[in-house]
Amino acid sequence: MREAKIKGIDKSYPVGKIVCLGRNYLDHIRELGNKVPDRAVIFCKPASSLLPDGGQIILPDYTNDCHHELELAVLIGTAGKNISEELAMQHVAGYGVALDLTLRDLQSELKEKGLPWEIAKGFDTSCPLSDFVPADQVDNPNAIRLTLKVNGELRQDGTTAQMMRNVEEIIAEISQYYTLEPGDIILTGTPAGVSRIQSGDQLYGEIENVGTLQVTVA
Ligand code: ZN
């Protein structure tokens, strides 16, 4: 899947870059023992990491510790550079449910060495993603509940109101570094409750007013 589809209006965008925020929820920063960043922690996942709703996660053989991170996804519909917070929402085409799967063991090893940890985040199937709902169907993306169940058990339960940077601030900051283009997708960080997934697990993510995402681990 390389297309971001918007439900109901029969519109889709070829996926461009997938820009992700790390450390955007204080309780998740604390659970990993990280520091609160002054500048947003930003990394990218390649479009080849996408997995459609209903798909199967393939765990790489070089990891023993893959974590789920449930995140609100923001689809960019209009290009912009140095976008102001005031105008940021005009660039949003829709919202979706995403997982930022993370090889925590590999990420920790690379972090300790001070090396980039993108390969811990960008492997094939590391970005399960739902279709998007049109932006105007979500009144306030900065105050919606996100939950993730694994095999029916609640693991993550947060609200985007806990984000340290809200959607407008995230778009403004990222667009200082990268031109945002139609089809780009932003993953806005994860609340606490990340944990290891293993073969056979069924993951069910839900974001209020946005939708659901269901994937299994092969
Ligand atoms: Zn994440």
Side-chain angles (χ1 to χ4, degrees):
M1 180 191 72
R2 302 287 176 85
E3 293 245 302
K5 293 196 191 81
I6 300 193
K7 286 185 253 189
I9 59 169
D10 196 30
K11 190 163 169 62
S12 66
Y13 295 81
V15 173
K17 53 190 172 295
I18 305 169
V19 188
C20 309
L21 239 76
R23 304 182 199 175
N24 199 31
Y25 287 76
L26 199 55
D27 53 350
H28 173 61
I29 292 173
R30 288 190 177 132
E31 77 179 343
L32 292 184
N34 285 320
K35 284 188 188 146
V36 176
D38 298 329
R39 200 187 277 271
V41 175
I42 290 168
F43 59 93
C44 291
K45 285 161 108 76
S48 52
S49 68
L50 286 170
L51 178 71
D53 194 9
Q56 269 207 336
I57 297 162
I58 311 290
L59 296 177
D61 59 10
Y62 46 83
T63 183
N64 286 309
D65 193 19
C66 179
H67 279 190
H68 55 74
E69 297 188 353
L70 177 70
E71 315 206 353
L72 173 70
V74 178
L75 176 65
I76 298 296
T78 310
K81 171 83 177 165
N82 296 321
I83 298 166
S84 67
E85 287 173 31
E86 292 68 33
L87 298 179
M89 290 310 196
Q90 296 181 11
H91 294 263
V92 178
Y95 297 96
V97 183
L99 285 167
D100 167 23
L101 298 177
T102 303
L103 308 179
R104 197 70 71 197
D105 45 2
L106 184 57
Q107 185 193 32
S108 301
E109 180 191 318
L110 293 164
K111 258 161 73 175
E112 264 170 38
K113 294 178 182 162
L115 293 170
W117 30 261
E118 296 220 355
I119 58 169
K121 291 278 198 178
F123 60 96
D124 291 357
T125 74
S126 67
C127 192
L129 179 68
S130 73
D131 287 345
F132 289 81
V133 293
D136 59 13
Q137 284 187 26
V138 181
D139 282 343
N140 184 3
N142 298 311
I144 45 179
R145 188 175 174 206
L146 335 73
T147 55
L148 180 80
K149 290 178 181 168
V150 179
N151 305 324
E153 183 191 315
L154 189 64
R155 296 271 184 92
Q156 291 190 274
D157 185 1
T159 158
T160 55
Q162 298 164 324
M163 295 193 298
M164 294 165 54
R165 287 173 169 80
N166 66 24
V167 172
E168 294 91 325
E169 292 166 331
I170 292 168
I171 289 171
E173 186 162 358
I174 290 175
S175 72
Q176 291 174 26
Y177 309 125
Y178 305 140
T179 296
L180 288 172
E181 300 174 308
D184 286 347
I185 293 166
I186 298 172
L187 268 51
T188 53
T190 196
V194 301
S195 66
R196 181 171 177 260
I197 55 172
Q198 48 197 337
S199 182
D201 281 349
Q202 303 213 356
L203 281 63
Y204 183 79
E206 188 165 9
I207 302 182
E208 186 187 358
N209 297 333
V210 172
T212 61
L213 172 69
Q214 190 161 12
V215 286
T216 55
V217 186

